[in-house]
Amino acid sequence: MDDPSLVEWSKIPYSAMSTKESAATSLDMARQTIVLLQNKQHILPLKRNAEKIAVIGPNADNEPMMWGNYNGVPNRTVTILDGIKAKQKNITYLPGCDLTYDKVMDCRMATECSYDGRKGLKGTFWNNTEMEGKAIATEYYTQPLAVTTNGMHVFATGVPVEDFSAKYETTFIPKEAGEYVVNVEGTGHFELYINGERKFSHHIWRATPTRTVLQAEKGQQFQIEVRFQTVKTWGASMKINVAKELDLDYQQMIAQLKGIDKVIFVGGISPALEGEEMPVEIAGFKGGDRTSIELPKVQRDFLKALKAAGKQVIFVNCSGSAIALTPETTSCEAIIQAWYAGQEGGTAIADVLFGDYNPSGKLPVTFYRDDSQLPDYEDYSMKGRTYRYFDNPLFAFGYGQSYTDFEIGKAEIQGQNGTYKLHIPVTNTGKCEGTETVQVYIRNTADPEAPLKTLRAFQRITLKAGQTATAELTLTPKSFEFFDSETNTMRTKAGEYRILYGNSSRSEDLKELPLILDTIPE
């Protein structure tokens, strides 16, 4: 559902924009992409500073998530938490849970890790990528390590932002027998060694988490070493944690929300889970592909627990692809699809949450109800897939709500021989200004194998409360072009068609206009 105005933006060289101009463009684009999927009892927009609000979830303060894939690194990024804090004074923030893991990481770096007689993890750095010569810096860490060169930050004082290497070392001696984990996440080339044995070697351009399990006896020693090298043209990042995984206690976290009725839960997935050729092996994800479209269980269970505790939940879902959200339509009052919203995404999402911007985004993909609606591909038939061959999704292609209401009137058509002008009246019947997207689909009724509908034109139209205007959309002979099995080509044929128009691809949102093409110009 691309906005034609994006074409105009694309004509402006990014390098020609000032920082202020590029931020404004990013903000405008981010606002237009946000899709309001559900808004029970008009819980949104929120009233600023009218009540205490909690912000929870693994994507609330996740800066790299905002950038998506194949991205540059902006000078600054407004996270969703940042955006909400800029508008609301009374905020309680809890990370809550991981994107996929249903455990809490109890870090042991300060209590059971040491090196050279000092507690924690030792980091040694060189100003070359081979860990050769004299080290230029040494650091010790007793908390989980999290460093990046994004935004021109450095791994340690005196270490350059590129062409460097590092070695992280510690001896882990658990005080109790049990299962522990070494979590390493990085961008660049990094390797993990346990007692001299290499556990993995990754050469990665995107920050990707790894999890190595240690089955330990009390007092057993584990020599842990992580080697890191920067890679030309890539940014660098490194996270390391040595921890005990504890069961996630939803009730303990919910107890911290006493006196708070409304919770903004920012979850979904992230570019660290979906992408191209990634070393990810997690339930629902494999190698950058998704093996399930369901929301990860740890988040789904958290949302159910919040609902059971009587909280009103506004769910901000971040993803680059469709998520099955059927249970969330029950556990959440509102659902916003925020995608990976970019450097100004936090401001854009907060603008929607608090009513400074009326959402107008429409889904560019079908959101299926659950995994069963999207089985494995076993042939090339598209039956039951995408809006063109499927009519029972959870949220349809082209669907998106607003804080106001629109009425699509009866279309008038002018033209002949495949070239037509559609005039479709649109009225804002609500109480605030808003933008609607009028969509026109075509169905070839003469061909039983043809798609149920195919989007052929659309137009965004902004209206003040009570205002009526006319959307004007053009159809050409190519608009009626479909696959012809007789000639094995795409072609426009004379015959009977249906013009379907409305504000989404849902059957209940569309009106029909029959049309006979008698002749087609050569």
Side-chain angles (χ1 to χ4, degrees):
M1 302 301 297
D2 295 335
D3 183 345
S5 63
L6 296 184
V7 176
E8 297 304 313
W9 287 337
S10 69
K11 295 177 182 177
I12 305 173
Y14 188 83
S15 59
M17 295 184 187
S18 68
T19 301
K20 185 176 181 180
E21 288 172 333
S22 64
T25 299
S26 298
L27 176 58
D28 199 14
M29 293 175 68
R31 284 169 167 169
Q32 291 188 33
T33 65
I34 297 168
V35 186
L36 178 61
L37 296 177
Q38 178 172 290
N39 192 20
K40 293 180 180 178
Q41 286 80 50
H42 302 288
I43 189 172
L44 294 177
L46 299 170
K47 294 181 180 179
R48 195 179 302 192
N49 298 318
E51 57 188 322
K52 290 183 178 180
I53 293 174
V55 179
I56 299 177
N59 275 334
D61 200 29
N62 188 345
E63 188 171 299
M65 178 277 299
M66 307 292 290
W67 307 331
N69 288 332
Y70 292 101
N71 59 285
V73 179
N75 291 329
R76 74 160 197 152
T77 300
V78 182
T79 67
I80 299 172
L81 179 63
D82 292 335
I84 294 171
K85 282 183 173 180
K87 294 183 183 294
Q88 174 76 16
K89 294 179 181 178
N90 297 319
I91 289 290
T92 296
Y93 167 62
L94 300 173
C97 66
D98 184 77
L99 287 168
T100 57
Y101 293 143
D102 60 351
K103 304 290 183 182
V104 175
M105 305 303 293
D106 182 15
C107 179
R108 302 302 172 96
M109 289 170 57
T111 57
E112 295 163 63
C113 291
S114 62
Y115 199 83
D116 289 343
R118 295 184 60 174
K119 291 289 185 182
L121 175 77
K122 179 185 178 182
T124 307
F125 304 88
W126 292 264
N127 63 357
N128 58 71
T129 59
E130 306 302 325
M131 294 184 287
E132 294 179 345
K134 184 178 179 181
I136 58 173
T138 301
E139 296 279 355
Y140 283 85
Y141 311 90
T142 56
Q143 298 296 320
L145 174 73
V147 289
T148 180
T149 59
N150 290 325
M152 298 304 290
H153 295 290
V154 295
F155 274 35
T157 302
V159 177
V161 295
E162 57 183 17
D163 295 329
F164 68 91
S165 54
K167 181 188 292 184
Y168 297 95
E169 302 168 277
T170 192
T171 300
F172 171 55
I173 305 177
K175 296 179 180 179
E176 297 178 351
E179 182 177 285
Y180 299 84
V181 295
V182 180
N183 286 349
V184 182
E185 177 179 325
T187 306
H189 181 90
F190 59 99
E191 303 175 348
L192 172 66
Y193 292 80
I194 305 291
N195 292 334
E197 178 185 353
R198 189 170 72 177
K199 295 297 184 180
F200 60 73
S201 176
H202 290 320
H203 198 77
I204 301 173
W205 60 273
R206 177 191 296 116
T208 302
T210 66
R211 177 177 178 272
T212 302
V213 176
L214 303 178
Q215 297 292 346
E217 299 295 331
K218 179 181 179 180
Q220 185 177 358
Q221 292 192 16
F222 295 89
Q223 306 295 330
I224 299 171
E225 180 181 315
V226 178
R227 300 175 186 176
F228 176 85
Q229 298 166 286
T230 57
V231 177
K232 275 289 187 183
T233 74
W234 296 358
S237 67
M238 177 55 58
K239 293 183 179 180
I240 301 174
N241 194 7
V242 181
K244 176 79 172 178
E245 292 179 328
L246 305 177
D247 289 335
L248 188 62
D249 189 338
Y250 298 120
Q251 298 308 318
Q252 183 183 52
M253 280 182 279
I254 290 173
Q256 300 177 57
L257 306 179
K258 186 177 180 179
I260 299 175
D261 294 325
K262 291 179 180 170
V263 174
I264 301 171
F265 188 98
V266 188
I269 55 179
S270 84
L273 295 171
E274 59 174 349
E276 183 181 4
E277 296 183 6
M278 301 166 62
V280 176
E281 297 287 341
I282 301 171
F285 305 88
K286 184 176 181 179
D289 296 329
R290 295 176 60 197
T291 59
S292 170
I293 61 171
E294 303 288 344
L295 184 71
K297 185 177 184 299
V298 61
Q299 297 180 56
R300 178 159 288 171
D301 289 347
F302 206 153
L303 290 168
K304 289 178 180 178
L306 288 166
K307 177 70 172 180
K311 307 300 180 184
Q312 295 178 296
V313 182
I314 296 113
F315 178 39
V316 178
N317 184 68
C318 303
S319 66
S321 53
I323 305 288
L325 299 172
T326 296
E328 286 64 53
T329 60
T330 299
S331 60
C332 304
E333 274 62 45
I335 302 175
I336 288 176
Q337 177 61 28
W339 314 104
Y340 303 136
Q343 68 180 71
E344 295 293 330
T347 299
I349 292 163
D351 284 347
V352 169
L353 288 170
F354 290 92
D356 295 321
Y357 183 85
N358 191 348
S360 60
K362 301 289 186 175
L363 286 182
V365 293
T366 299
F367 272 46
Y368 299 90
R369 294 180 182 275
D370 51 46
D371 280 341
S372 69
Q373 287 192 332
L374 197 63
D376 293 340
Y377 276 95
E378 296 180 349
D379 56 43
Y380 288 102
S381 170
M382 291 298 293
K383 184 178 180 180
R385 300 179 188 276
T386 81
Y387 79 93
R388 301 175 74 224
Y389 297 89
F390 182 78
D391 205 23
N392 185 34
L394 179 64
F395 297 114
F397 174 89
Y399 178 78
Q401 296 185 21
S402 169
Y403 292 151
T404 191
D405 297 304
F406 297 95
E407 181 179 310
I408 308 294
K410 184 177 180 180
E412 294 183 359
I413 187 168
Q414 298 173 339
Q416 59 183 350
N417 297 337
T419 300
Y420 302 96
K421 182 77 73 173
L422 282 173
H423 300 271
I424 305 174
V426 183
T427 301
N428 182 343
T429 60
K431 298 180 180 180
C432 65
E433 181 178 311
T435 299
E436 182 59 285
T437 300
V438 181
Q439 303 162 40
V440 176
Y441 299 82
I442 303 294
R443 177 187 299 158
N444 180 3
T445 58
D447 183 357
E449 299 300 320
L452 299 173
K453 59 182 80 76
T454 300
L455 181 69
R456 291 307 195 203
F458 62 90
Q459 181 182 334
R460 284 170 59 89
I461 186 165
T462 300
L463 300 170
K464 297 183 184 300
Q467 183 182 5
T468 298
T470 300
E472 297 184 359
L473 301 102
T474 300
L475 299 176
T476 68
K478 191 171 180 63
S479 303
F480 298 89
E481 184 180 87
F482 290 91
F483 180 75
D484 177 30
S485 58
E486 293 179 0
T487 61
N488 201 36
T489 63
M490 297 290 291
R491 62 187 292 237
T492 301
K493 298 171 65 176
E496 182 179 348
Y497 293 84
R498 288 285 186 273
I499 297 175
L500 310 172
Y501 61 95
N503 58 7
S504 90
S505 67
R506 296 194 310 174
S507 295
E508 58 264 42
D509 292 335
L510 294 171
K511 297 181 179 181
E512 288 197 12
L513 185 66
L515 181 71
I516 302 293
L517 290 185
D518 292 323
T519 59
I520 302 298
E522 296 296 331

